[in-house]
Amino acid sequence: MRPSRSNVRLSTLGVVGTGWACGRIGFGRTARLTFVATAIGLGALLAVSYDASPVALAAYVLCFGIAQGARGPIVSTLTSRHFAGAHVGTIYGTVFCSMAIGGASGAWVGGALHDLTGGYRAVLVLSLVALAFGADAFRPRSPVLRGIDPAR
């Protein structure tokens, strides 16, 4: 299945915008903005499950579409800066392999939750919880940002 053109455009805008924002406001703030956009998108999709509002659906498409893939450049840059040297490739590969395992297991758990509950609301709530855990790594004065992204 091919992604829609609007999805590709929004994702591209998000990735390019992320690079621009990192240079202006820092990695931490930019990452937090992408987490907020993702959370708004998921919250809007949760709202759609209660009331099929075109406004909530548009908010989902816009916010989630822009945030989709936007943290990838941040993670790759931070990885290469923290672990510069002979083993950066192994570390970078481990980070992204872990993300792939998380994505695959998330899809499986999401399917199981859908089968258990008969809908996607529990999946969306669990996604929001997982998102909060992921965002914690980019909190102000986080070890992930130490020495790279001074608190602004």
Side-chain angles (χ1 to χ4, degrees):
M1 183 173 182
R2 259 179 37 153
S4 71
R5 286 184 183 198
S6 63
N7 186 19
V8 170
R9 289 181 186 139
L10 287 172
S11 179
T12 302
L13 177 68
V15 171
V16 171
T18 297
W20 177 85
C22 284
R24 282 9 165 237
I25 64 172
F27 290 95
R29 283 186 179 168
T30 303
R32 289 189 296 275
L33 285 173
T34 67
F35 279 104
V36 167
T38 303
I40 291 170
L42 289 173
L45 193 57
L46 186 59
V48 167
S49 76
Y50 289 98
D51 178 30
S53 161
V55 172
L57 184 59
Y60 162 71
V61 170
L62 185 65
C63 292
F64 198 85
I66 287 175
Q68 178 183 352
R71 283 181 295 276
I74 296 171
V75 171
S76 62
T77 301
L78 292 176
T79 302
S80 66
R81 288 186 181 182
H82 270 293
F83 304 105
H87 300 290
V88 71
T90 301
I91 294 166
Y92 183 73
T94 302
V95 167
F96 277 86
C97 182
S98 299
M99 290 170 50
I101 291 169
S105 61
W108 185 86
V109 169
L113 273 175
H114 178 273
D115 290 349
L116 286 171
T117 64
Y120 289 104
R121 290 180 184 149
V123 177
L124 292 169
V125 170
L126 181 61
S127 296
L128 285 164
V129 170
L131 188 69
F133 279 107
D136 184 60
F138 297 95
R139 71 188 180 283
R141 293 181 243 323
S142 163
V144 170
L145 302 171
R146 187 174 297 131
I148 291 174
D149 197 23
R152 297 175 187 244

